[in-house]
Amino acid sequence: QQQFVESGGGLVQPGGSLTLSCEVRVSAFSLWEMGWYRQAPGKERELVGRIGNRGNTYSSGSVEGRFTISRDNAKNMLYLQMNNLKPEDTAVYYCNFGSAPSSSWGPGTQVIVSS
């Protein structure tokens, strides 16, 4: 059974917005620090941001001020609100644990930012 199932990606114009969702199929979800990651074509996967079990967040410099991570512990869900999207945000987006990602990655969700 997959631990992480991402959804919500799509094609959006520069300056647009998208909200990604991730169903997290692990026990004690509320105790885990979670993260969003992305992998652009030809590049290594990188951390987009993390959210701690108390809701404290960290965002990478490239998305700070544009992306917001949130979680719903009652539903085992993780979210990524993306605003003012840029072409360089084009990537496959994944969720996983924040500090020590599991080797079992989900399928990801594709985000394409293009006019």
Side-chain angles (χ1 to χ4, degrees), residues 66-104:
R66 300 188 298 122
F67 291 11
T68 302
I69 298 175
S70 61
R71 64 193 298 164
D72 185 335
N73 289 336
K75 297 180 179 180
N76 276 38
M77 293 294 293
L78 186 70
Y79 303 100
L80 181 66
Q81 173 68 45
M82 305 185 294
N83 298 323
N84 190 21
L85 282 159
K86 303 176 181 181
E88 51 264 41
D89 295 318
T90 294
V92 178
Y93 284 72
Y94 304 87
C95 68
N96 206 313
F97 298 119
S99 298
S102 166
S103 60
S104 178

Side-chain angles (χ1 to χ4, degrees), residues 10-113:
L11 173 63
V12 62
Q13 293 186 342
S17 298
L18 276 177
T19 300
L20 306 184
S21 300
C22 177
E23 178 184 355
V24 182
R25 300 171 177 172
V26 300
S27 58
F29 168 71
S30 63
L31 300 181
W32 293 98
E33 180 185 67
M34 299 300 302
W36 280 99
Y37 301 79
R38 68 185 181 185
Q39 186 167 19
K43 296 186 177 181
E44 293 188 355
R45 189 152 34 204
E46 64 174 356
L47 176 70
V48 174
R50 296 191 294 260
I51 183 166
N53 58 5
R54 297 183 180 184
N56 48 306
T57 59
Y58 159 81
S59 297
S60 70
S62 61
V63 306
E64 192 170 7
R66 300 188 298 122
F67 291 11
T68 302
I69 298 175
S70 61
R71 64 193 298 164
D72 185 335
N73 289 336
K75 297 180 179 180
N76 276 38
M77 293 294 293
L78 186 70
Y79 303 100
L80 181 66
Q81 173 68 45
M82 305 185 294
N83 298 323
N84 190 21
L85 282 159
K86 303 176 181 181
E88 51 264 41
D89 295 318
T90 294
V92 178
Y93 284 72
Y94 304 87
C95 68
N96 206 313
F97 298 119
S99 298
S102 166
S103 60
S104 178
W105 293 86
T109 186
Q110 175 79 60
V111 173
I112 300 174
V113 185

